[in-house]
Each structure stands twice: as structure tokens, then as C-alpha cells.
Amino acid sequence: MKVSIVGLGWLGEPLAAHLLRRGLKVKGSTTTPEKIGKLSEKGIMAYPFFLGPEPAGDGWEPLFETDVMVINIPPHFRSHPSSYHIQQIKALRLLIDQAKVPKVIFVSATSVYPDLNQEAQESDWLDFESAGNPGLLQAENLLRTDRGYDLTVLRLGGLLGDDRIPGLYVSGKDNVLGHPPVNYIHRQDAVRLIEWLIEKALWNDTYNGVTPWHPSRRKVYEKNAADLGFAPPSSYQDPPLDPWKKVSSQKILQTGFDFLYHPLHFPYII
């Protein structure tokens, strides 16, 4: 089986390496041409491909000659308007249709769910007025509509582990949100989950990729600080006012997938 990964970044590169070890043929895209040689040394055929938002690069057409395409493009809503990511997905959808790619996995995020102080699950009704992230929901729907390919949407929670340490981001800060339950997933579990979708042929559906354990942010931050030797937050929001959500993982668990890493025990590199 041939798998193309659009976006060989923090998640995409270890995903490619993992799938290669599993015997799949893997290729992907990078916006950093300097990485191509290093990726090639690892057995990953990489192409310079950039959606800015229109396609740019050189010789990237073979990227679309594949059995499965994994779309793993961070939307960067903080640095670009939501319309930018939507245009990226429109351009990518056109290329997918032209190449007749048979199967697509879209890596989305649990930020599509609004914070309503309750559990969120895949069956929840979302529209552009109710969604927590309307731009991301629109990107999902652009890929869902009138398609000629199998599509699975994977809504990942907060991607952490290794060099991404949640407690470090709030070390020493005041008035930190500590009460919400976390909706995290370790990078290696995210890699395993994408492989699971492909291996088990879980097509034409939507799944949340979040651990089934939801300790409070405060517990995670203070555990990180104690384990890794940096300062915890100086203070927490009191009284706790901001709304929250707890994202359900029951649907993917029912397929037989198991999560290896608990948010209080993610392995980190510091």
C-alpha cells in the first residue's frame, strides 16, 4: 500500500517513519526543501509542496499517485485568517479529485467542539454558528461534500509529548486556567491511531483522537513541574469561570484501539 502524507512536520514525519517500519510505501510533502535529503536518508520520498494557499513547489505531482492520502496541514489560525486554510483545502481537494485519490484521512482537531461544560462526541450536531472553530468545520465539510473518495476525519486533541510539555508553557504564569479537564493525545498514540484507521479500513466516518483520561490541567501542569524540575504556575483562575469540554474517546475505543499514554505520564524530552 502507498501512503502520501501532506505535511511531514511534527506529527507527519514520525508517522511516515512508523508506516515505513510497518512495510508501507511512504511519501510526503515538506515546505522546507532543505529537509528532503534527510527524509530521503530515512527512506521517505519527499516533495517540495506548499499551499500558499494555491499549490506551489516543484515536481510534486507523484505525491497524488497513492492509495491513501493523509492531510496533515496545521491551519495556523493565529497567524492567518480562517479563509486562508479554507482556500488551502479547496486547492488540495481539486488536486485530489483530479488525481482520483481513492482514500483520504483528514487530520482535524477537537477545537471544532464548543466549550459547553459537558462531554463532546462525534454525533454532536455542529454548524458554523455552534462550532468552536467554524473555519476548521468548514474545511472538514469541503472534503466531505460530493466526493468520489473514501474519507475519514480524525479530530485530534492537544498533541503533546516529547518536546511539547504543557506545564512548561505556563511555568511561573499568573491566573492560569487550571480547572478544565485536558483533552490530550501523545504524539506516538496519534501515529498509532492513524495507522489503525488505515489497517482496520475505518473509512467514511469521524473519530476523536483523545485519551480516555481527563485529569485537570492543574494536575498535569504540576506533575510536569515536579517531574521535570521547573516552576509550576504562580496562580490559577479563582474562581474558575472559563467554560470547558471533555471530548469522548468511546467511539474509537469501541473499534479495539488502545491508548498507551496517560496525560499524567507522557514521556518528555527536556
Side-chain angles (χ1 to χ4, degrees):
M1 180 180 289
K2 294 178 290 186
V3 177
S4 288
I5 302 169
V6 180
L8 292 172
W10 194 81
L11 175 62
E13 185 175 343
L15 171 62
H18 180 82
L19 295 178
L20 276 174
R21 290 193 294 270
R22 296 293 188 176
L24 281 68
K25 296 179 180 179
V26 183
K27 48 191 168 182
S29 72
T30 178
T31 59
T32 309
E34 296 77 19
K35 289 178 59 176
I36 291 176
K38 294 180 179 179
L39 291 166
S40 179
E41 291 173 1
K42 298 178 181 180
I44 304 167
M45 180 65 71
Y47 302 89
F49 180 67
F50 180 69
L51 290 165
E54 295 303 317
D58 183 35
W60 45 260
E61 290 79 6
L63 189 66
F64 291 83
E65 298 168 4
T66 188
D67 299 308
V68 178
M69 174 162 282
V70 179
I71 302 174
N72 176 45
I73 308 172
H76 298 301
F77 287 131
R78 291 181 181 178
S79 56
H80 294 286
S82 60
S83 58
Y84 182 85
H85 187 59
I86 292 164
Q87 291 301 317
Q88 288 181 308
I89 298 303
K90 280 184 178 178
L92 194 56
R93 167 69 193 265
L94 180 61
L95 295 173
I96 288 169
D97 288 342
Q98 289 173 345
K100 295 182 171 54
V101 175
K103 299 182 185 300
V104 175
I105 294 173
F106 180 53
V107 178
S108 184
T110 56
S111 61
V112 298
Y113 299 113
D115 293 326
L116 298 175
N117 299 338
Q118 62 187 29
E119 186 175 73
Q121 53 192 356
E122 295 90 341
S123 59
D124 290 351
W125 170 255
L126 296 174
D127 58 27
F128 298 132
E129 293 183 359
S130 64
N133 189 327
L136 197 54
L137 180 64
Q138 187 173 351
E140 290 184 6
N141 289 342
L142 280 169
L143 291 167
R144 286 193 180 102
T145 306
D146 297 327
R147 66 184 191 271
Y149 49 84
D150 293 320
L151 171 71
T152 290
V153 173
L154 177 61
R155 293 171 174 164
L156 291 180
L159 265 171
L160 295 160
D162 301 321
D163 59 341
R164 289 188 180 179
I165 307 168
L168 195 57
Y169 301 140
V170 293
S171 176
K173 293 186 177 180
D174 293 315
N175 203 37
V176 170
L177 287 176
H179 65 284
V182 301
N183 298 293
Y184 290 165
I185 183 170
H186 189 276
R187 173 163 62 172
Q188 191 55 37
D189 272 339
V191 164
R192 294 176 54 250
L193 181 46
I194 294 171
E195 180 203 13
W196 181 264
L197 296 177
I198 297 171
E199 177 188 341
K200 300 299 180 182
L202 298 174
W203 300 111
N204 301 310
D205 215 333
T206 300
Y207 294 95
N208 295 331
V210 178
T211 74
W213 307 287
H214 302 270
S216 69
R217 292 188 188 183
R218 180 171 184 162
K219 286 184 178 179
V220 172
Y221 297 158
E222 299 197 354
K223 182 73 162 50
N224 290 170
D227 288 350
L228 301 173
F230 53 77
S234 297
S235 64
Y236 293 92
Q237 188 183 84
D238 186 26
L241 300 174
D242 282 41
W244 50 268
K245 60 178 170 274
K246 181 187 289 186
V247 179
S248 173
S249 56
Q250 284 306 303
K251 187 173 178 179
I252 194 64
L253 290 172
Q254 288 169 0
T255 70
F257 183 78
D258 62 310
F259 290 85
L260 298 181
Y261 299 104
H262 190 292
L264 290 176
H265 307 289
F266 283 180
Y268 294 108
I269 303 165
I270 190 169

